[in-house]
């Protein structure tokens, strides 16, 4: 049977979809493009914003229309947030638990042809192990080390749909990464819903996990996905200082550049704390790329507060800003806050912040002109190679070099959103 999988949302969803694809393929199913006529469609949904909900519904309905006779599986955060949901044509509903049982659930459906709703009343307290065994030709591998969040930011639905913090056993993480390195992966990306809180349920810590990962022979790059500023502790920063295997890029969500908004959001820091932490990081890694998330139009945000956000984003010299217009999430405290911001105002502020993001990103890219950098080749297209540096510069190189190879290039120009690189090692063989 042919299976098409569509993934929305975060890197955790990406990892979970990879796992689902892996176990299905190992069970004899044939993976196909989602746009093809398939026997089974799986949509791994997202609910972080209203737009995410709308897109989840849209993709589900597209699959139903493409092949009304197919088995349609909807799983993930959108399903978990809408337990009462009924969509005509969806055969299997799975929340954020028991995704690892996808094969048995599909088999059950084809035996009975009865709809299946596999939604837990309460998300479990144990980590649902997913370990990818089928290694395909790729350059970067995601490893999910943790699930759940207990921060309860007032705007966020994720703690309600992902549950309590749950961590993968450290030895399991190490084994998974060792297997990936043996199979040729050059870069490992640690991912989770709240990765800096890794181990809170196991009597372990993110620092101790990092220590063990960095001892793995042959590991070339370790990239840390989004991490809270409060979890970049002195021990974690000491590893950043001592070990250049950790990539020269951190994604640290700010969410707002106003202390009063941060307090209303129930964030665990103020601007002075954030500023001081960035200063410490840049003393250790002067050229590090620091990207961020910012929400615009949070309830009560006036023009002065938004200007503070613009000013602090510039001061903090982020290399990229992921901009999110505030989206009311039913069941969160902020959905009941007064002084909700008009949609057109949010749109205007988002545009201004994205303009600033582009300006800051291009400025950062130009800092490296004339410098030699290592690029991990990820794609070849039309006579060019494309890849990323450790500090996440996206580089375009003339000539098709082998994917999954590290190539030294000199950055000669910026053609946003790419840096242009010239290979410095003439002995590197071009792809035939």
């Amino acid at each position: 049977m042919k299976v098409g999988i569509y993934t929305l949302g975060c890197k955790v969803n990406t990892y979970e979809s990879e796992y689902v694809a892996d176990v299905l393929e190992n069970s004899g199913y044939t993976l196909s493009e989602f746009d093809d006529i398939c026997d089974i469609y799986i949509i791994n949904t997202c609910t972080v914003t209203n737009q995410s909900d709308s897109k989840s519904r849209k993709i589900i309905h597209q699959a139903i229309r493409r092949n009304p006779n197919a088995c349609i599986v909807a799983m993930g955060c959108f399903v978990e947030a809408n337990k009462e949901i009924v969509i005509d044509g969806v055969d299997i509903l799975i929340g954020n638990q028991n995704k690892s049982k996808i094969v048995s659930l599909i088999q059950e459906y084809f035996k009975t042809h009865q709809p299946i709703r596999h939604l837990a009343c309460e998300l479990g307290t144990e980590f649902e192990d997913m370990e990818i065994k089928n290694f395909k030709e790729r350059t970067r591998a995601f490893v999910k080390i943790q699930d759940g969040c207990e921060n309860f930011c007032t705007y966020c639905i994720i703690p309600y749909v992902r549950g309590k913090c749950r961590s993968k056993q450290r030895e399991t993480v190490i084994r998974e990464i060792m297997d990936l390195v043996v199979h040729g992966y050059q870069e490992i990306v640690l991912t989770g819903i709240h990765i800096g809180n890794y181990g809170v349920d196991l009597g372990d810590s993110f620092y101790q996990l990092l220590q063990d990962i960095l001892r793995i022979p042959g590991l070339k790059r370790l990239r840390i996905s989004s991490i809270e500023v409060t979890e970049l502790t002195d021990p974690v920063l000491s590893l950043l200082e001592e070990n250049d295997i950790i990539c020269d890029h951190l994604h640290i969500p700010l969410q707002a550049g106003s202390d009063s908004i941060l307090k209303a959001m129930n964030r665990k820091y103020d601007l002075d704390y954030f500023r001081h932490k960035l200063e410490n990081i840049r003393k250790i890694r002067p050229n590090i790329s620091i990207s961020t998330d910012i929400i615009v139009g949070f309830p009560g945000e006036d023009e002065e507060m938004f200007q503070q956000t613009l000013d602090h984003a510039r001061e903090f010299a982020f290399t990229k800003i992921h901009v999110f217009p505030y989206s009311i999430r039913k069941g969160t405290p902020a959905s009941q806050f007064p002084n909700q911001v008009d949609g057109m105002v949010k749109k205007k502020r988002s545009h201004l912040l994205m303009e600033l993001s582009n300006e800051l990103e291009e400025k950062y890219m130009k800092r490296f002109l004339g410098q030699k950098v290592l690029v991990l080749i990820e794609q070849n297209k039309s006579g060019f190679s494309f890849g990323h540096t450790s500090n996440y510069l996206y580089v375009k190189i003339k000539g098709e070099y082998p994917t999954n190879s590290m190539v030294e290039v000199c950055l000669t120009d910026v053609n946003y959103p790419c840096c242009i690189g010239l290979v410095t090692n003439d002995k590197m063989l071009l792809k035939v």
Side-chain angles (χ1 to χ4, degrees), residues 382-414:
S382 304
F384 290 90
S385 298
F386 298 85
H388 284 90
T389 62
S390 170
N391 59 338
Y392 219 59
L393 296 175
Y394 188 51
V395 183
K396 179 180 180 180
I397 306 163
K398 187 174 183 179
E400 295 196 1
Y401 293 85
T403 56
N404 205 34
S405 62
M406 290 278 194
V407 178
E408 184 183 74
V409 304
C410 179
L411 298 181
T412 60
D413 199 2
V414 171

Side-chain angles (χ1 to χ4, degrees), residues 83 177 393:
K83 286 186 168 65
I177 294 176
L393 296 175

Side-chain angles (χ1 to χ4, degrees), residues 319-330:
T319 50
K320 190 176 185 65
I321 303 168
H322 298 270
V323 181
F324 298 90
Y326 170 71
S327 185
I328 294 175
R329 300 280 76 203
K330 183 181 177 183

Side-chain angles (χ1 to χ4, degrees), residues 58-329:
K58 178 182 176 182
I59 300 301
I60 291 168
H61 286 299
Q62 283 180 357
I64 294 169
R65 288 194 299 271
R66 189 172 299 121
N67 183 5
N69 297 317
C71 171
I72 307 295
V73 182
M75 65 183 189
C77 291
F78 171 70
V79 175
E80 196 71 56
N82 299 276
K83 286 186 168 65
E84 75 290 347
I85 192 170
V86 176
I87 299 178
D88 289 340
V90 174
D91 303 297
I92 302 175
L93 288 169
I94 310 172
N96 275 323
Q97 200 167 299
N98 298 316
K99 292 179 182 179
S100 61
K101 297 179 180 178
I102 185 68
V103 173
S104 61
L105 292 174
I106 288 174
Q107 289 172 344
E108 178 186 341
Y109 172 76
F110 278 109
K111 283 180 182 177
T112 66
H113 288 279
Q114 295 299 312
I116 296 171
R117 293 175 58 85
H118 222 272
L119 304 175
C121 294
E122 183 178 343
L123 288 167
T125 56
E126 293 185 3
F127 186 85
E128 183 180 9
D129 264 332
M130 296 180 183
E131 193 172 342
I132 299 172
K133 295 291 187 183
N134 190 22
F135 305 99
K136 299 178 176 65
E137 186 181 353
R138 290 187 179 86
T139 57
R140 178 182 294 115
F142 296 102
V143 174
K144 179 184 171 185
I145 63 170
Q146 180 274 341
D147 205 340
C149 180
E150 297 170 57
N151 268 358
F152 290 98
C153 299
T154 58
Y155 54 83
C156 188
I157 194 69
I158 297 306
Y160 305 95
V161 298
R162 282 282 180 176
K164 295 180 179 180
C165 289
R166 312 175 303 281
S167 307
K168 183 179 285 186
Q169 292 287 338
R170 196 193 323 174
E171 55 269 27
T172 306
V173 176
I174 300 304
R175 183 180 66 243
E176 186 172 357
I177 294 176
M178 289 178 69
D179 285 346
L180 289 164
V181 171
V182 166
H183 283 81
Y185 283 80
Q186 301 268 28
E187 182 175 309
I188 303 299
V189 184
L190 299 182
T191 189
I193 300 301
H194 187 183
I195 67 168
N197 211 28
Y198 171 85
V200 67
D201 54 324
L202 302 176
D204 206 341
S205 73
F206 187 55
Y207 165 71
Q208 291 171 306
L209 176 68
L210 284 179
Q211 275 189 313
D212 280 1
I213 292 172
L214 292 169
R215 297 189 184 107
I216 294 175
L219 177 62
K220 300 288 181 62
R221 281 186 185 176
L222 181 69
R223 196 174 294 280
I224 299 170
S225 63
S226 182
I227 186 167
E228 296 290 342
V229 69
T230 53
E231 285 145 10
L232 289 164
T233 61
D234 288 345
V236 171
L237 293 186
S238 71
L239 295 178
L240 190 69
E241 183 174 18
E242 297 162 5
N243 204 310
D244 60 6
I245 289 175
I246 300 176
C247 287
D248 219 12
H249 169 247
L250 291 172
H251 184 83
I252 312 172
L254 173 62
Q255 303 300 13
S258 158
D259 277 335
S260 60
I261 294 295
L262 288 174
K263 185 175 181 180
M265 288 177 164
N266 194 33
R267 300 295 286 170
K268 307 299 190 288
Y269 52 85
D270 59 18
L271 292 167
D272 281 343
Y273 181 96
F274 201 96
R275 179 185 295 107
H276 181 66
K277 190 69 72 171
L278 292 194
E279 288 170 354
N280 288 344
I281 293 168
R282 285 175 170 139
K283 284 177 185 175
I284 294 168
R285 297 271 189 105
N287 290 323
I288 195 167
S289 167
I290 299 177
S291 55
T292 198
D293 297 332
I294 292 179
I295 295 171
V296 300
F298 186 80
E301 182 189 71
D302 58 22
E303 288 297 332
E304 182 180 355
M305 293 171 180
F306 175 66
Q307 186 59 50
Q308 289 173 354
T309 293
L310 286 174
D311 293 344
H312 283 110
R314 188 180 294 278
E315 176 197 346
F316 295 158
F318 294 119
T319 50
K320 190 176 185 65
I321 303 168
H322 298 270
V323 181
F324 298 90
Y326 170 71
S327 185
I328 294 175
R329 300 280 76 203

